[in-house]
Amino acid sequence: MTPTPYAPSPTTAVPLFSGRTGVRTYHVRTLGCQMNVHDSEHMAGLLEEAGYRRAEEVPQAAARATRAGDGGADVVILNTCSVRENAANRLFGNLGQLAEVKRQRPGMQIAVAGCLAQQMGRGIVERAPWVDVVFGTHNLDMLPALLERARHNAAAAVELEESLKVFPSTLPTRRESVYAAWVSIAVGCNNTCTFCIVPSLRGRQRDRRPGEILAEIEAVAAQGAIEVTLLGQNVNSYGVGFGDRRAFAKLLRASGAVEGIERVRFTSPHPAAFTDDVIEAMASTPTVMPSLHMPLQSGSDTILRAMRRSYRAKRFLGILERVRAAMPEAAISTDIIVGFPGETEEDFQATLNVVEQARFASAFTFEYSPRPGTPAADRDDQIPAEVVKDRYRRLEELVRRMTHEENVKQEGRVVEVLVAQGEGRRDAATARISGRAADNRLVHVALPQGLSATDYAGGAPRPGDMVSARVTHGAPHNLIADSALCGAVSAEALAANEARPAGDRVWYDDGPALFAVRRTRAGDAWEQAQAQARAAPEPDTAPVPIGMPTIRVGAPSAGGRVQG
């Protein structure tokens, strides 16, 4: 069945309004992959179209937030992941904390979404009867209606679909960033990896048409975005559904040509389907960034065969070699699983050998965990937990050493960093700002002496602006660019700096001071969004419906939706 475009119905727009905060508020907590992050943006868009407001933007709601992660909201949505074994334990732990909040907050609703909801369905309500709504990966569009149904019936609303009915990209979207956007090019996966539950929960791959994707990129560019990330479970299989095996390379070139877009990224490809035309498109399109996430999973051909990963270590390393030949500056990251059933010490050593040769810029490493419903979970040669943990420790030590060595090689290089909001947890304490370089490495950039990070009129870069700085230190997981503070530094200052803990130290080098800001229209869009948020009416002065869908005077008709 072909997914249909989203069309809101009058029944999706009947939010229950809270007497305390003036308007029904929501908070979405996202667990899992980038696909879940983007799905959460759709959920937020649907709720705002239905008249809800984000709890963080309503002071009365935000003030009552608790440590349970409820955000102070009337509606809390947990968007779940099922990739790891402890996903269910984590979910029910979170739900247990929210139960007490709900008892103290009349009218509060809890919804569970995502892959674990698709997998467990009504089982979630059976274990946590205080949950109001459960919906899966194929029916995001039903969220507002399910919340209203649960409220009206005073009973849990559980609704799952076996296949996609509405393509998520046609849904309303509340994007987390005005300067960088996720753009889905396909949903689902046709691979049959024996450890992975995702294909059974998200279905077979469905491709969007190129024109629809490019139209969305043009739209987010018009709204101020300068970076887009193309999303799919297996992006380089894009086009198989409509008979064009070179479609992804063509899409990369076309995306990079959209006016206003300065950076194009994508995630994730699959080594078996990764072709040289994609490498050529990356290398020849200036706006496609020199970064590549290429999942290895294992360096053992025996284990790759058992995983049903249709490539071998030699092919994987060959891809990396060709990427680096075309783009010497490319940073390559990966995923690796240790302790897959049947993995011998020889198999594990093969993985270490590939990691040594690959020299990844970063790696996401995982202990294998059996997922019910996958072939690997039924094998009788599971690896003892203590062996898995030992191998994980050894792999982590190697990855940390490799990534540190690769980051040290970046010292002295001038990078252009897209300033981001929330990337650096210690930015305020260290007087730095943070963002991503072209190769997607995280960079912490020192501000010039005396410049506050929020003094935008005085020259501080806004989120969405670009900063050029020189890397002065390569740390294991990030780069530090303190070149703004370099140049004429006194001996006393150098000595005092050396006495500080490493985390509080300025990383000087022998080069001149360098800190150059390029203000962008993305920064303009961010600043405008902040101004609009400050100008928004407080809930107690906003129109407050009394339970019936209404149309605000002067607003265009929206099919019965509440205009908030």
Side-chain angles (χ1 to χ4, degrees), residues 331-332 359-362 399-413 415 439-443 471-480:
I332 301 173
R359 303 197 69 86
F360 297 110
S362 64
V399 166
R400 182 181 175 86
R401 176 169 66 83
M402 292 284 100
T403 57
H404 192 191
E405 290 174 1
E406 291 304 301
N407 283 349
V408 168
K409 292 177 183 178
Q410 305 300 309
E411 292 176 3
R413 179 180 164 209
V415 293
D439 64 9
N440 210 35
R441 283 185 168 94
L442 177 62
V443 187
V471 177
T472 56
H473 178 65
H477 302 297
N478 55 70
L479 304 177
I480 296 177

Side-chain angles (χ1 to χ4, degrees), residues 41-366:
E41 292 183 332
H42 293 313
M43 294 176 202
L46 285 160
L47 290 173
E48 295 199 0
E49 184 182 66
Y52 294 79
R53 285 187 63 187
R54 188 176 180 178
E56 293 86 338
E57 297 174 354
V58 178
Q60 297 97 317
R64 62 182 182 181
T66 74
R67 292 183 179 180
D70 59 291
D74 300 302
V75 173
V76 178
I77 302 102
L78 300 182
N79 190 8
T80 63
C81 173
S82 65
V83 170
R84 312 307 303 152
E85 183 178 21
N86 66 354
N89 293 336
R90 186 178 180 187
L91 169 64
F92 289 105
N94 287 328
L95 289 176
Q97 293 177 325
L98 289 172
E100 178 59 31
V101 179
K102 185 176 181 180
R103 281 191 284 271
Q104 303 297 322
R105 189 175 301 163
M108 178 180 170
Q109 291 182 294
I110 300 171
V112 180
C115 288
L116 196 59
Q118 184 74 27
Q119 183 180 15
M120 294 189 66
R122 187 161 289 279
I124 292 174
V125 177
E126 291 171 356
R127 288 184 58 178
W130 56 91
V131 169
D132 299 277
V133 170
V134 177
F135 63 108
T137 56
H138 298 311
N139 60 335
L140 302 184
D141 59 301
M142 291 298 296
L143 173 58
L146 291 172
L147 289 169
E148 174 59 18
R149 184 192 305 171
R151 185 194 68 81
H152 181 272
N153 295 341
V158 179
E159 188 163 313
L160 306 174
E161 295 285 354
E162 292 302 314
S163 61
L164 199 64
K165 298 297 189 295
V166 174
F167 216 104
S169 296
T170 67
L171 299 175
T173 306
R174 157 83 187 239
R175 297 187 186 273
E176 287 298 306
S177 167
V178 297
Y179 46 86
W182 306 103
V183 176
S184 177
I185 69 171
V187 294
C189 181
N190 293 342
N191 294 317
T192 57
C193 301
T194 57
F195 58 83
C196 186
I197 193 70
V198 171
S200 67
L201 302 179
R202 288 196 176 265
R204 293 185 61 79
Q205 181 167 320
R206 305 261 186 110
D207 296 334
R208 295 177 71 191
R209 299 298 302 186
E212 296 174 3
I213 297 167
L214 293 173
E216 183 175 352
I217 295 173
E218 290 168 356
V220 298
Q223 294 163 6
I226 59 175
E227 177 179 291
V228 293
T229 300
L230 307 180
L231 276 182
Q233 301 295 148
N234 179 8
V235 290
N236 50 293
S237 289
Y238 174 75
V240 172
F242 52 85
D244 185 354
R245 293 185 177 272
R246 292 183 175 268
F248 184 60
K250 296 175 185 175
L251 182 63
L252 279 180
R253 291 190 173 93
S255 300
V258 171
E259 184 177 357
I261 295 299
E262 298 188 24
R263 292 183 169 189
V264 177
R265 305 188 188 278
F266 60 89
T267 193
S268 289
H270 191 291
F274 200 78
T275 51
D276 289 349
D277 62 321
V278 174
I279 299 174
E280 182 182 343
M282 293 177 67
S284 63
T285 310
T287 48
V288 176
M289 294 295 96
S291 64
L292 177 66
H293 185 76
M294 182 63 69
L296 170 64
Q297 306 304 3
S298 175
S300 162
D301 288 351
T302 300
I303 296 301
L304 289 172
R305 191 175 296 110
M307 289 177 166
R308 271 190 222 145
R309 302 282 290 180
S310 48
Y311 57 89
R312 301 297 174 256
K314 183 178 179 180
R315 171 174 171 77
F316 183 91
L317 290 170
I319 292 171
L320 271 53
E321 182 179 351
R322 294 194 299 279
V323 168
R324 287 174 171 145
M327 295 170 288
E329 74 280 21
I332 301 173
S333 57
T334 197
D335 299 329
I336 305 171
I337 297 172
V338 297
F340 186 83
E343 181 187 73
T344 64
E345 180 62 26
E346 182 181 5
D347 292 323
F348 176 65
Q349 189 60 51
T351 296
L352 298 182
N353 292 342
V354 171
V355 172
E356 285 267 14
Q357 295 176 68
R359 303 197 69 86
F360 297 110
S362 64
F364 299 93
T365 55
F366 305 93

Side-chain angles (χ1 to χ4, degrees), residues 1-65:
M1 178 179 173
T2 302
T4 58
Y6 167 73
S9 67
T11 59
T12 66
V14 193
L16 172 67
F17 287 83
S18 163
R20 179 171 179 179
T21 63
V23 66
R24 193 80 164 151
T25 57
Y26 74 90
H27 178 69
V28 183
R29 290 176 57 186
T30 308
L31 312 173
C33 67
Q34 297 96 330
M35 198 70 73
N36 271 21
V37 173
H38 194 33
D39 283 350
S40 291
E41 292 183 332
H42 293 313
M43 294 176 202
L46 285 160
L47 290 173
E48 295 199 0
E49 184 182 66
Y52 294 79
R53 285 187 63 187
R54 188 176 180 178
E56 293 86 338
E57 297 174 354
V58 178
Q60 297 97 317
R64 62 182 182 181

